[in-house]
mmCIF file of all heavy atoms in Angstrom:
data_model
loop_
_atom_site.group_PDB
_atom_site.id
_atom_site.type_symbol
_atom_site.label_atom_id
_atom_site.label_comp_id
_atom_site.label_asym_id
_atom_site.label_seq_id
_atom_site.Cartn_x
_atom_site.Cartn_y
_atom_site.Cartn_z
ATOM 1 N N ARG A 64 3.985 16.913 -4.283
ATOM 2 C CA ARG A 64 5.141 16.473 -5.057
ATOM 3 C C ARG A 64 4.863 16.520 -6.527
ATOM 4 O O ARG A 64 3.861 16.192 -7.028
ATOM 5 C CB ARG A 64 5.556 15.078 -4.663
ATOM 6 C CG ARG A 64 6.167 15.053 -3.278
ATOM 7 C CD ARG A 64 6.700 13.568 -2.974
ATOM 8 N NE ARG A 64 6.952 13.378 -1.585
ATOM 9 C CZ ARG A 64 7.471 12.286 -1.075
ATOM 10 N NH1 ARG A 64 7.712 11.214 -1.948
ATOM 11 N NH2 ARG A 64 7.596 12.147 0.202
ATOM 12 N N ASP A 65 5.871 16.821 -7.359
ATOM 13 C CA ASP A 65 5.727 16.705 -8.776
ATOM 14 C C ASP A 65 5.676 15.292 -9.258
ATOM 15 O O ASP A 65 5.063 14.997 -10.171
ATOM 16 C CB ASP A 65 6.990 17.331 -9.421
ATOM 17 C CG ASP A 65 7.000 18.927 -9.327
ATOM 18 O OD1 ASP A 65 5.862 19.436 -9.152
ATOM 19 O OD2 ASP A 65 8.091 19.472 -9.370
ATOM 20 N N ASN A 66 6.373 14.413 -8.580
ATOM 21 C CA ASN A 66 6.427 12.965 -9.008
ATOM 22 C C ASN A 66 6.178 12.016 -7.749
ATOM 23 O O ASN A 66 7.088 11.378 -7.381
ATOM 24 C CB ASN A 66 7.834 12.712 -9.608
ATOM 25 C CG ASN A 66 7.640 12.061 -10.935
ATOM 26 O OD1 ASN A 66 6.625 11.665 -11.396
ATOM 27 N ND2 ASN A 66 8.800 12.064 -11.611
ATOM 28 N N PRO A 67 5.028 12.032 -7.253
ATOM 29 C CA PRO A 67 4.842 11.157 -6.091
ATOM 30 C C PRO A 67 4.871 9.693 -6.447
ATOM 31 O O PRO A 67 4.664 9.286 -7.488
ATOM 32 C CB PRO A 67 3.353 11.508 -5.675
ATOM 33 C CG PRO A 67 2.636 11.961 -6.804
ATOM 34 C CD PRO A 67 3.811 12.651 -7.700
ATOM 35 N N PRO A 68 5.294 8.917 -5.466
ATOM 36 C CA PRO A 68 5.406 7.380 -5.701
ATOM 37 C C PRO A 68 3.978 6.863 -5.973
ATOM 38 O O PRO A 68 2.944 7.349 -5.471
ATOM 39 C CB PRO A 68 5.983 6.858 -4.460
ATOM 40 C CG PRO A 68 5.704 7.891 -3.407
ATOM 41 C CD PRO A 68 5.643 9.217 -4.031
ATOM 42 N N LEU A 69 4.078 5.768 -6.707
ATOM 43 C CA LEU A 69 2.815 4.928 -6.962
ATOM 44 C C LEU A 69 2.167 4.385 -5.718
ATOM 45 O O LEU A 69 0.990 4.391 -5.516
ATOM 46 C CB LEU A 69 3.001 3.906 -8.058
ATOM 47 C CG LEU A 69 1.890 3.052 -8.348
ATOM 48 C CD1 LEU A 69 0.747 3.841 -8.999
ATOM 49 C CD2 LEU A 69 2.337 1.931 -9.306
ATOM 50 N N ARG A 70 3.200 3.892 -4.850
ATOM 51 C CA ARG A 70 2.735 3.178 -3.647
ATOM 52 C C ARG A 70 3.487 3.999 -2.541
ATOM 53 O O ARG A 70 4.717 4.477 -2.632
ATOM 54 C CB ARG A 70 3.223 1.855 -3.524
ATOM 55 C CG ARG A 70 2.593 0.879 -4.622
ATOM 56 C CD ARG A 70 3.152 -0.484 -4.403
ATOM 57 N NE ARG A 70 2.649 -1.315 -5.515
ATOM 58 C CZ ARG A 70 3.431 -1.943 -6.375
ATOM 59 N NH1 ARG A 70 4.771 -1.782 -6.295
ATOM 60 N NH2 ARG A 70 3.036 -2.670 -7.325
ATOM 61 N N PHE A 71 2.846 4.182 -1.346
ATOM 62 C CA PHE A 71 3.460 4.848 -0.139
ATOM 63 C C PHE A 71 2.810 4.298 1.026
ATOM 64 O O PHE A 71 1.544 4.333 1.167
ATOM 65 C CB PHE A 71 3.218 6.353 -0.332
ATOM 66 C CG PHE A 71 3.949 7.142 0.775
ATOM 67 C CD1 PHE A 71 5.296 7.507 0.649
ATOM 68 C CD2 PHE A 71 3.233 7.592 1.923
ATOM 69 C CE1 PHE A 71 5.882 8.160 1.594
ATOM 70 C CE2 PHE A 71 3.942 8.282 2.868
ATOM 71 C CZ PHE A 71 5.191 8.630 2.744
ATOM 72 N N GLN A 72 3.650 3.825 1.962
ATOM 73 C CA GLN A 72 3.162 3.291 3.194
ATOM 74 C C GLN A 72 3.461 4.415 4.234
ATOM 75 O O GLN A 72 4.534 4.949 4.316
ATOM 76 C CB GLN A 72 3.903 2.072 3.576
ATOM 77 C CG GLN A 72 3.764 0.826 2.663
ATOM 78 C CD GLN A 72 4.580 0.961 1.439
ATOM 79 O OE1 GLN A 72 5.701 1.393 1.425
ATOM 80 N NE2 GLN A 72 3.933 0.517 0.310
ATOM 81 N N THR A 73 2.469 4.736 5.026
ATOM 82 C CA THR A 73 2.536 5.859 5.970
ATOM 83 C C THR A 73 3.022 5.455 7.385
ATOM 84 O O THR A 73 3.139 6.369 8.188
ATOM 85 C CB THR A 73 1.058 6.417 6.136
ATOM 86 O OG1 THR A 73 0.229 5.448 6.533
ATOM 87 C CG2 THR A 73 0.629 7.042 4.853
ATOM 88 N N ALA A 74 3.456 4.235 7.465
ATOM 89 C CA ALA A 74 4.041 3.794 8.805
ATOM 90 C C ALA A 74 5.004 2.622 8.560
ATOM 91 O O ALA A 74 4.868 1.956 7.592
ATOM 92 C CB ALA A 74 2.969 3.355 9.784
ATOM 93 N N GLN A 75 5.959 2.445 9.462
ATOM 94 C CA GLN A 75 6.933 1.459 9.332
ATOM 95 C C GLN A 75 6.177 0.019 9.371
ATOM 96 O O GLN A 75 6.674 -0.784 8.634
ATOM 97 C CB GLN A 75 8.031 1.519 10.449
ATOM 98 C CG GLN A 75 9.068 0.487 10.352
ATOM 99 C CD GLN A 75 9.805 0.688 9.026
ATOM 100 O OE1 GLN A 75 10.240 1.717 8.690
ATOM 101 N NE2 GLN A 75 9.981 -0.438 8.306
ATOM 102 N N TRP A 76 5.232 -0.086 10.310
ATOM 103 C CA TRP A 76 4.568 -1.347 10.318
ATOM 104 C C TRP A 76 3.912 -1.645 8.957
ATOM 105 O O TRP A 76 3.913 -2.890 8.599
ATOM 106 C CB TRP A 76 3.406 -1.565 11.373
ATOM 107 C CG TRP A 76 2.313 -0.585 11.215
ATOM 108 C CD1 TRP A 76 2.082 0.575 11.751
ATOM 109 C CD2 TRP A 76 1.196 -0.902 10.432
ATOM 110 N NE1 TRP A 76 0.865 1.148 11.428
ATOM 111 C CE2 TRP A 76 0.218 0.299 10.437
ATOM 112 C CE3 TRP A 76 0.750 -1.965 9.651
ATOM 113 C CZ2 TRP A 76 -1.015 0.277 9.886
ATOM 114 C CZ3 TRP A 76 -0.484 -1.903 8.957
ATOM 115 C CH2 TRP A 76 -1.299 -0.780 9.083
ATOM 116 N N ALA A 77 3.401 -0.748 8.173
ATOM 117 C CA ALA A 77 2.870 -0.942 6.887
ATOM 118 C C ALA A 77 3.906 -1.291 5.910
ATOM 119 O O ALA A 77 3.710 -2.216 5.055
ATOM 120 C CB ALA A 77 2.135 0.335 6.409
ATOM 121 N N ARG A 78 5.092 -0.723 5.928
ATOM 122 C CA ARG A 78 6.192 -1.110 5.062
ATOM 123 C C ARG A 78 6.550 -2.588 5.386
ATOM 124 O O ARG A 78 6.799 -3.302 4.484
ATOM 125 C CB ARG A 78 7.369 -0.118 5.288
ATOM 126 C CG ARG A 78 7.150 1.241 4.625
ATOM 127 C CD ARG A 78 8.343 2.097 4.698
ATOM 128 N NE ARG A 78 8.553 2.708 5.949
ATOM 129 C CZ ARG A 78 7.882 3.806 6.452
ATOM 130 N NH1 ARG A 78 6.962 4.282 5.732
ATOM 131 N NH2 ARG A 78 8.139 4.273 7.687
ATOM 132 N N ASP A 79 6.673 -2.868 6.674
ATOM 133 C CA ASP A 79 7.076 -4.231 7.010
ATOM 134 C C ASP A 79 5.966 -5.268 6.502
ATOM 135 O O ASP A 79 6.330 -6.323 6.104
ATOM 136 C CB ASP A 79 7.132 -4.350 8.483
ATOM 137 C CG ASP A 79 8.347 -3.502 9.203
ATOM 138 O OD1 ASP A 79 9.176 -3.083 8.336
ATOM 139 O OD2 ASP A 79 8.357 -3.159 10.367
ATOM 140 N N PHE A 80 4.771 -4.865 6.636
ATOM 141 C CA PHE A 80 3.631 -5.717 6.291
ATOM 142 C C PHE A 80 3.643 -6.070 4.797
ATOM 143 O O PHE A 80 3.377 -7.126 4.308
ATOM 144 C CB PHE A 80 2.300 -5.017 6.667
ATOM 145 C CG PHE A 80 1.114 -5.921 6.293
ATOM 146 C CD1 PHE A 80 0.781 -6.931 7.150
ATOM 147 C CD2 PHE A 80 0.307 -5.630 5.291
ATOM 148 C CE1 PHE A 80 -0.344 -7.798 6.905
ATOM 149 C CE2 PHE A 80 -0.881 -6.371 5.000
ATOM 150 C CZ PHE A 80 -1.171 -7.450 5.827
ATOM 151 N N VAL A 81 3.959 -4.961 3.870
ATOM 152 C CA VAL A 81 3.867 -5.275 2.406
ATOM 153 C C VAL A 81 5.201 -5.657 1.866
ATOM 154 O O VAL A 81 5.347 -6.090 0.645
ATOM 155 C CB VAL A 81 3.315 -3.946 1.734
ATOM 156 C CG1 VAL A 81 1.937 -3.657 2.103
ATOM 157 C CG2 VAL A 81 4.239 -2.830 1.782
ATOM 158 N N ALA A 82 6.293 -5.420 2.620
ATOM 159 C CA ALA A 82 7.684 -5.739 2.077
ATOM 160 C C ALA A 82 7.812 -7.102 1.557
ATOM 161 O O ALA A 82 8.440 -7.308 0.456
ATOM 162 C CB ALA A 82 8.675 -5.323 3.081
ATOM 163 N N PRO A 83 7.347 -8.206 2.205
ATOM 164 C CA PRO A 83 7.567 -9.480 1.644
ATOM 165 C C PRO A 83 6.957 -9.674 0.176
ATOM 166 O O PRO A 83 7.555 -10.265 -0.626
ATOM 167 C CB PRO A 83 6.927 -10.466 2.586
ATOM 168 C CG PRO A 83 6.854 -9.692 3.891
ATOM 169 C CD PRO A 83 6.717 -8.234 3.450
#
Side-chain angles (χ1 to χ4, degrees):
R64 293 185 192 182
D65 288 336
N66 234 347
L69 177 64
R70 299 183 187 114
F71 186 81
Q72 296 78 38
T73 57
Q75 185 60 49
W76 68 261
R78 286 185 284 281
D79 295 343
F80 183 76
V81 299

